[in-house]
Amino acid sequence: MKMTGARILIESLLKEGVDTIFGFPGGVVLPIYDVLYDSPLKHVLVRHEQGAVHMADGYARASGRPGVVVVTSGPGATNTVTGIATAYMDSIPVVVFTGQVPTALIGNDAFQEADIVGITRPCTKHNYLVKDIKELTKTIKEAFHVATTGRPGPVLVDLPKDVLIAMAEFKYPAAAELPGYQPKYKGHGGQVKKAMARILKARKPVIYAGGGVILSDAAPELKTLAEKLHIPVTTTLMGMGGFPGTHSLYMGMLGMHGTYAANMAVTNTDCLIAIGARFDDRVTGKIDEFAPYATIIHIDIDPTSISKNVEVDVPIVGDVKGILREMGKILPKQKELKEHEKELQPWLKEVKKWERTHKLSYKPGKKGVLKPQYVVEKLYELTKGNAIITTEVGQNQMWAAQFFKFKKPRTFLSSGGLGTMGYGLPAAIGAQVAFPKKTVIDIAGDGSIQMNIQEMATAVQYKLPVKVAILNNRYLGMVRQWQEFFYDKRYSHTCMGKLPDFVKLAEAYGGVGLRASKPEEVEAVIKKALKVTDRPVLMDFVVAPEEGVYPMVPTGEPLNKMLLV
Amino acid sequence: MRHTISVLVSNEFGVLSKISGLFSGRGFNIESLCVAETLDPEVSRMTIVTRGDDKVIEQITKQLNKLVSVLKVHDLTAEEHIGRELALIKVSVAAENRAEVLSIVDIFRAKVVDVSPRSYTIETTGDEQKLRAIVELLRPFGIKEVARTGRIALSRSHRAKQGK
């Protein structure tokens, strides 16, 4: 049967198993919206296209399925760029369909025309302009394939209006044929053996796990390996939840705001096992003094990640889950493992000592003063950790990472690589769409939340009970903290001055607004918020304005030069 | 060190910008880039001349390989290969030095491809040194314009490197 391009798009999405799209209509995508009108696909109408991409991203991170976006040409398309770049930096599978002016007008500065394929080239894994309806199904198949396989990432498909209204036979390809794109999943057997030998020889091993563990659903394999070999584990921000935050082998996050134990362990380790992590500069600190005594083993699906920042001794290219399984198969016998455990005791004791002597902590506020860390602790306590946490970017993000314990993968959603303010609320909405029954909380700052606060309206419209906990310190807190350390407390333009009344704002949108300014009010506010099931809740926690995030490794310093509380 | 990298890519919309954008976006250097269809109209060959230490070249080849449109990356530097450039040189000639210019053209096995009353346009191919040498020899006569391609190259190995 012949169909329009727009119908072919929707039918293709259904074939891909898509249930929800996040979008915003406009002139050239009207053919798609007309088909959507009576399609079984759920469409979430956003308030800003950046929000749509973050929602699709949050949906993907929480569920493991690709997030899908449809927006119009020109401004609709350019508004997606920040969301796409965010997904790109964190390797999140998102497929963005942008409308484009008719092919005959492309390049003519037509109304609402933008060269979105050109604009998004550096921040997509791959992108397409479909110039002929004959290419449409093949392109969609490829787009989903590329977005979800290998190292995942965002893919953009630009759809000119004439392609959307042209007619063609609908035949969806069974597989994508991309000779130039053959991700390597299986790790080299010899390298796996070599890595295992080095690990068993080590006396001070450390596992440094990143977002790749979560993307590859390798958390169970990681846990098994760490437990069998008694290796202490640290995760990156992106890796949180990839190893249980409550586990005795877990040292917390490493890097700039990492724990003392994790950073000291990495500095002193003789064998660093990097798993699905990419040695980001926020993690390594001064690169020359990062893990200076270690043999470095690096497991990653992306060969470009290997030896990019840090010279690696044993690289293994392939899928983390499969490789960890292979490693599990060549473990020594029970008796030898017992022996091995004995040999590691001094190291494990040393790590425990670091953990004990420099716990993550903060000074409790004077009477009546609310500390932001306390709010995060209370959120953890009252949800018993059973929540999906998203964050904005800045101090709120770091406190969330430090004081909430993530037991399961896909429960901590945060813009790691790009550090996108305004990510948290739309990502929370996306996660809530994927899991309507789960508790989803955006831990936010008063600065970040205002970057996409308009999505409160989306949450209200779809009755999504997303919770936002604003750690309101009236500052762009992380920047202010840097000004405090490195610019002599010259707080140039980091004081927010005029803030909206967040309680009234929430109410204006049709949500629930709550406020706590004293420690004793926090619990009641959170409990009340958790009870709301049919609309978003904004909790305004008025916290100590000049609180800092500790520990902190100043930029350019090695990890063991930490400023502690 | 200078490297000549041969890249086979899908001959599709925007592929050149994907490749050149990779270089500019990651701060890699391009000395020259030539691209044209291969025997297979769906495949193009790009010959990229670039410069960098081993680490940089390793990243360049890995990053190129990572692009979905890239079919094959082949660093020719380490093996025997033939590299050529083409130049068109428009040189002023007066009646008294026509013979001298022609003899230079002859020595370099170049060709006069266009003649006007006051100039010759000379076509020449070869490696970079040869082209530099002929330009230097012609310079005293007054070169009006030069157009040069970048380097194109093929491995001397008998086997084709996928695509033709």
Side-chain angles (χ1 to χ4, degrees):
Chain A
M1 195 181 78
K2 283 207 165 187
M3 298 178 183
T4 62
R7 184 166 289 279
I8 288 175
L9 169 67
I10 300 299
E11 293 297 329
S12 303
L13 294 181
L14 291 169
K15 288 266 185 206
E16 285 294 336
V18 174
D19 54 21
T20 309
I21 56 182
F22 301 91
F24 199 96
V28 298
V29 287
L30 282 176
I32 302 174
Y33 275 81
D34 192 56
V35 180
L36 268 177
Y37 194 69
D38 35 35
S39 121
L41 269 178
K42 180 175 174 177
H43 177 272
V44 175
L45 175 65
V46 303
R47 297 304 185 265
H48 187 291
E49 289 87 350
Q50 184 190 346
V53 187
H54 291 327
M55 284 179 209
D57 169 314
Y59 176 97
R61 291 190 209 220
S63 71
R65 298 191 298 272
V68 180
V69 174
V70 174
V71 297
T72 195
S73 66
T78 55
N79 274 348
T80 63
V81 172
T82 303
I84 293 173
T86 304
Y88 182 66
M89 288 291 270
D90 292 342
S91 310
I92 306 304
V94 170
V95 183
V96 178
F97 294 95
T98 49
Q100 183 53 279
V101 301
T103 41
L105 288 181
I106 290 177
N108 285 8
D109 301 328
F111 177 66
Q112 291 195 328
E113 182 190 354
D115 170 18
I116 197 63
V117 170
I119 290 169
T120 59
R121 186 197 43 71
C123 60
T124 46
K125 187 173 169 190
H126 194 52
N127 62 18
Y128 297 90
L129 168 64
V130 182
K131 283 178 136 177
D132 187 332
I133 189 160
K134 284 195 249 89
E135 301 285 310
L136 186 57
T137 49
K138 176 179 171 283
T139 306
I140 297 168
K141 184 80 214 174
E142 284 181 16
F144 278 89
H145 178 68
V146 171
T148 54
T149 53
R151 178 180 183 165
V155 175
L156 181 137
V157 182
D158 202 21
L159 301 166
K161 187 170 186 181
D162 53 323
V163 171
L164 292 175
I165 54 181
M167 302 287 282
E169 205 67 47
F170 177 65
K171 235 177 84 192
Y172 201 62
E177 278 174 51
L178 286 161
Y181 176 75
Q182 307 289 340
K184 190 167 172 286
Y185 285 88
K186 199 171 160 5
H188 187 277
Q191 291 292 92
V192 171
K193 278 197 196 117
K194 199 163 148 194
M196 186 51 85
R198 298 281 182 101
I199 294 169
L200 292 171
K201 231 174 65 193
R203 290 298 165 263
K204 299 178 173 185
V206 165
I207 288 175
Y208 145 50
V213 169
I214 291 165
L215 292 168
S216 145
D217 289 321
E221 286 78 5
L222 173 62
K223 184 160 170 270
T224 308
L225 197 78
E227 284 175 346
K228 291 227 155 141
L229 293 168
H230 309 280
I231 306 176
V233 179
T234 177
T235 63
T236 66
L237 184 76
M238 295 302 300
M240 304 216 81
F243 192 77
T246 45
H247 200 286
S248 64
L249 284 170
Y250 187 56
M251 301 184 287
M253 180 170 74
L254 82 164
M256 183 175 274
H257 294 295
T259 63
Y260 182 80
N263 285 348
M264 292 304 286
V266 168
T267 305
N268 289 285
T269 179
D270 60 353
C271 181
L272 184 74
I273 309 143
I275 308 176
R278 62 189 175 91
F279 300 86
D280 181 90
D281 50 280
R282 279 289 191 272
V283 155
T284 60
K286 190 178 181 193
I287 202 109
D288 309 334
E289 291 176 47
F290 178 74
Y293 315 111
T295 292
I296 296 182
I297 297 165
H298 189 185
I299 307 172
D300 205 296
I301 197 154
D302 180 1
T304 66
S305 280
I306 287 171
S307 293
K308 185 166 71 180
N309 301 329
V310 167
E311 212 48 56
V312 173
D313 302 292
V314 187
I316 311 176
V317 177
D319 176 46
V320 165
K321 191 182 181 82
I323 291 167
L324 292 182
R325 274 196 182 156
E326 289 306 311
M327 289 174 93
K329 283 186 205 157
I330 54 167
L331 287 178
K333 300 234 162 52
Q334 203 57 36
K335 212 179 120 202
E336 286 164 67
L337 280 177
K338 274 264 176 267
E339 198 57 39
H340 182 66
E341 186 188 355
K342 253 185 231 154
E343 287 168 342
L344 292 186
Q345 282 312 312
W347 173 239
L348 291 169
K349 273 194 193 125
E350 203 172 355
V351 169
K352 283 284 164 226
K353 203 179 103 201
W354 286 322
E355 278 175 5
R356 255 195 333 271
T357 50
H358 296 285
K359 269 193 172 143
L360 274 178
S361 63
Y362 59 95
K363 292 191 184 102
K366 288 192 190 115
K367 200 174 169 2
V369 176
L370 179 55
K371 287 290 181 109
Q373 300 93 330
Y374 176 78
V375 175
V376 178
E377 281 180 338
K378 277 284 162 192
L379 285 168
Y380 176 69
E381 191 187 309
L382 294 171
T383 57
K384 301 185 185 68
N386 294 322
I388 296 174
I389 301 295
T390 72
T391 76
E392 303 289 339
V393 167
Q395 290 184 318
N396 58 81
Q397 181 183 30
M398 292 302 131
W399 285 320
Q402 291 179 334
F403 292 94
F404 203 98
K405 292 181 187 66
F406 298 93
K407 290 179 271 191
K408 288 187 204 140
R410 303 193 180 279
T411 57
F412 177 68
L413 322 181
S414 189
S415 169
L418 197 66
T420 308
M421 289 174 76
Y423 171 80
L425 173 58
I429 292 173
Q432 190 83 79
V433 168
F435 296 104
K437 298 268 182 246
K438 285 196 182 170
T439 303
V440 183
I441 306 172
D442 171 28
I443 296 179
D446 49 288
S448 270
I449 191 65
Q450 293 189 74
M451 286 222 177
N452 271 320
I453 198 156
Q454 74 287 346
E455 300 308 331
M456 279 293 284
T458 307
V460 169
Q461 181 170 352
Y462 296 94
K463 300 190 169 53
L464 299 167
V466 166
K467 321 284 186 273
V468 182
I470 304 177
L471 308 176
N472 183 350
N473 58 10
R474 283 85 78 203
Y475 275 113
L476 299 174
M478 190 57 99
V479 189
R480 184 206 56 73
Q481 184 172 336
W482 281 53
Q483 288 173 334
E484 183 182 328
F485 286 134
F486 310 118
Y487 296 89
D488 228 6
K489 290 200 177 189
R490 286 157 52 87
Y491 295 160
S492 179
H493 305 285
T494 43
C495 178
M496 292 304 268
K498 281 284 173 210
L499 280 174
D501 180 331
F502 287 115
V503 172
K504 281 189 187 159
L505 187 65
E507 285 164 359
Y509 274 118
V512 177
L514 302 166
R515 178 172 292 128
S517 336
K518 297 192 185 83
E520 53 273 25
E521 294 166 352
V522 171
E523 193 163 320
V525 161
I526 296 174
K527 280 186 171 161
K528 211 166 170 185
L530 290 174
K531 283 203 189 99
V532 180
T533 55
D534 61 344
R535 70 191 77 180
V537 184
L538 229 155
M539 295 170 270
D540 186 21
F541 294 105
V542 182
V543 298
E546 291 197 54
E547 187 67 13
V549 179
Y550 296 100
M552 177 177 183
V553 178
T555 28
E557 295 284 354
L559 290 185
N560 59 348
K561 297 254 164 67
M562 269 164 286
L563 304 167
L564 299 160
V565 186
Chain B
M1 196 185 143
R2 200 158 174 233
H3 283 249
T4 302
I5 299 171
S6 179
V7 189
L8 291 171
V9 298
S10 301
N11 187 5
E12 65 195 14
F13 171 82
V15 66
L16 177 60
S17 83
K18 284 191 166 86
I19 303 272
S20 60
L22 168 73
F23 276 77
S24 60
R26 294 192 181 266
F28 303 141
N29 173 45
I30 297 184
E31 286 193 5
S32 74
L33 190 159
C34 283
V35 52
E37 233 174 73
T38 59
L39 273 181
D40 178 350
E42 287 182 9
V43 177
S44 292
R45 183 188 300 277
M46 291 189 185
T47 312
I48 302 169
V49 179
T50 184
R51 206 177 269 281
D53 57 23
D54 291 353
K55 218 175 131 113
V56 168
I57 299 295
E58 185 186 334
Q59 268 298 313
I60 289 175
T61 49
K62 280 177 170 177
Q63 293 284 358
L64 283 170
N65 262 315
K66 189 169 150 180
L67 292 178
V68 173
S69 317
V70 168
L71 304 173
K72 183 90 191 163
V73 179
H74 188 200
D75 186 351
L76 293 168
T77 318
E79 63 183 87
E80 281 202 51
H81 65 278
I82 309 127
R84 290 286 182 276
E85 279 183 39
L86 178 133
L88 291 173
I89 308 160
K90 192 182 285 172
V91 63
S92 302
V93 281
E96 65 272 20
N97 50 29
R98 274 172 196 269
E100 202 179 334
V101 169
L102 283 177
S103 81
I104 291 171
V105 166
D106 204 32
I107 291 164
F108 279 87
R109 288 173 227 255
K111 243 192 326 199
V112 175
V113 288
D114 189 55
V115 180
S116 80
R118 285 188 296 169
S119 70
Y120 282 166
T121 301
I122 297 159
E123 173 197 309
T124 179
T125 61
D127 61 18
E128 209 191 336
Q129 281 145 322
K130 178 181 164 187
L131 296 195
R132 207 181 301 133
I134 189 168
V135 166
E136 285 315 312
L137 283 168
L138 292 172
R139 200 187 289 277
F141 302 101
I143 294 177
K144 289 167 161 305
E145 276 181 300
V146 174
R148 277 169 73 167
T149 67
R151 193 162 200 250
I152 54 167
L154 281 182
S155 155
R156 277 192 196 273
S157 147
H158 174 69
R159 257 184 51 218
K161 306 287 172 188
Q162 189 182 327
K164 276 154 227 160

